Amino acid sequence: MARILGNLVFGFVLLVAMGQALADFNFYRDMVCYWGPRNLAVWNNGTNLALNLNNASGCGIKTRKQFMFGSVEMQIKLVQGNSAGTVTTYYVSSTGDKHDEIDFEFLGNVSGQPYIVHTNIWARGRIINRWSAYIIYRGRWLIDSIPIRLFRNYQKYGVAYPNQQAMKAYSSIWNGDSWATQGGRVKIDWKRAPFAARYQQVNLRTCPWDSQGSTSQCSANNPANWWTAPAYSRLNYAQQGQLMWVRNKYMIYDYCRDSKRFKGAMPPECSLPLY
């Protein structure tokens, strides 16, 4: 997932095959477990890990350092088999009452059925009510480098935008069977517990933030700050085609098409260019 100066481009990596992790990541150095430590497993000298869910607790991890801009990449093997009721999340967030947040929520399903992924955006402590949902087929669809959503910076039109606060990256697995699968109609089958989400090839290419001075340093337009290059502020023609392909083939909910929800008063960005 990339947090970019101009626009927010959502991407994700989902692989079945678990290979060699990147050598420059170490969980013990770079991340910490903030919830459910008994349900965390780490192996291969800190390069591979798993978050587990049972009827006692889920599990959550986060980066030790905050950052401004860059990318946080990881390969996640989602819960296999009947994953109904489980929610695996992958997001970046600041802290405080007026926090910013960019979410991926993977909603489990019954055996043989695809996952559904929600993307949500928070800015200044409130959800912008701008979530979209997509179907993904477990273990078959690679989203690596393919944009599945673009949220443009339209602050000049009064649209809140999460680009002012330092964030940490988080991931978690938890019990969402009150709402996650078919509106909560399908519950978790605890006889199949524990449910595991496995992680490898975590790559933190971010600009560390430790004070307000870091903001100007991280946003400076220079070769070291690769995220300031024009290629990362817009989609090229090929990426635009990929995005439209994803939207046409896999999107199952788009708030900009939900006139009933907004009673005809659609959010301002819905009438502005998508790219």
Side-chain angles (χ1 to χ4, degrees):
M1 178 169 58
R3 187 168 183 264
I4 299 172
L5 293 176
N7 305 308
L8 295 179
V9 179
F10 295 86
F12 199 75
V13 181
L14 175 62
L15 294 179
V16 167
M18 304 294 281
Q20 183 65 34
L22 296 181
D24 60 349
F25 170 79
N26 185 281
F27 175 84
Y28 302 109
R29 182 191 66 223
D30 299 321
M31 303 192 81
V32 64
C33 182
Y34 70 88
W35 171 50
R38 292 185 178 181
N39 283 351
L40 171 67
V42 183
W43 67 97
N44 198 19
N45 296 319
T47 58
N48 293 73
L49 56 145
L51 308 186
N52 293 282
L53 168 67
N54 56 30
N55 58 3
S57 177
C59 186
I61 58 174
K62 64 181 179 180
T63 54
R64 292 182 181 273
K65 296 181 179 180
Q66 298 183 96
F67 54 85
M68 287 288 287
F69 312 118
S71 69
V72 178
E73 305 160 9
M74 61 181 70
Q75 294 182 359
I76 302 180
K77 184 177 181 180
L78 299 174
V79 176
Q80 300 293 286
N82 186 350
S83 57
T86 68
V87 179
T88 304
T89 68
Y90 170 43
Y91 62 102
V92 293
S93 179
S94 60
T95 59
D97 295 336
K98 296 184 178 181
H99 77 290
D100 293 342
E101 187 173 324
I102 306 166
D103 296 338
F104 286 91
E105 296 178 340
F106 293 89
L107 312 185
N109 218 323
V110 295
S111 295
Q113 298 299 311
Y115 272 82
I116 292 175
V117 58
H118 284 178
T119 62
N120 305 303
I121 302 170
W122 294 68
R124 313 300 185 267
R126 64 183 181 88
I127 195 166
I128 308 179
N129 284 329
R130 314 297 199 254
W131 64 276
S132 299
Y134 306 79
I135 293 175
I136 63 170
Y137 286 89
R138 180 172 57 253
R140 301 298 300 175
W141 187 25
L142 306 184
I143 317 178
D144 183 14
S145 77
I146 297 178
I148 69 169
R149 187 175 176 188
L150 174 68
F151 191 73
R152 291 192 62 172
N153 186 346
Y154 281 130
Q155 288 176 290
K156 63 183 179 181
Y157 295 105
V159 180
Y161 191 77
N163 65 343
Q164 300 297 319
Q165 302 185 66
M167 297 182 173
K168 291 184 178 182
Y170 298 77
S171 191
S172 63
I173 185 170
W174 44 280
N175 175 4
D177 71 1
S178 64
W179 64 276
T181 304
Q182 299 180 28
R185 291 188 295 273
V186 183
K187 304 299 183 181
I188 289 180
D189 182 0
W190 291 112
K191 292 181 294 186
R192 296 176 177 268
F195 303 95
R198 298 175 180 269
Y199 298 72
Q200 70 161 27
Q201 294 201 15
V202 180
N203 191 11
L204 308 176
R205 296 195 302 154
T206 60
C207 188
W209 188 96
D210 53 25
S211 66
Q212 284 302 125
S214 300
T215 303
S216 58
Q217 177 183 348
C218 291
S219 60
N221 189 359
N222 59 59
N225 291 350
W226 57 266
W227 49 85
T228 63
Y232 296 100
S233 64
R234 65 182 65 90
L235 298 182
N236 59 37
Y237 288 119
Q239 291 169 327
Q240 291 177 27
Q242 291 173 334
L243 177 62
M244 295 311 299
W245 174 78
V246 170
R247 288 171 59 88
N248 292 334
K249 190 172 180 64
Y250 295 104
M251 177 178 277
I252 58 175
Y253 177 80
D254 179 3
Y255 71 94
C256 279
R257 300 173 184 172
D258 194 349
S259 58
K260 182 178 179 180
R261 174 185 176 188
F262 295 101
K263 299 180 180 179
M266 302 303 292
E269 70 271 17
C270 291
S271 60
L272 296 169
L274 176 62
Y275 304 119

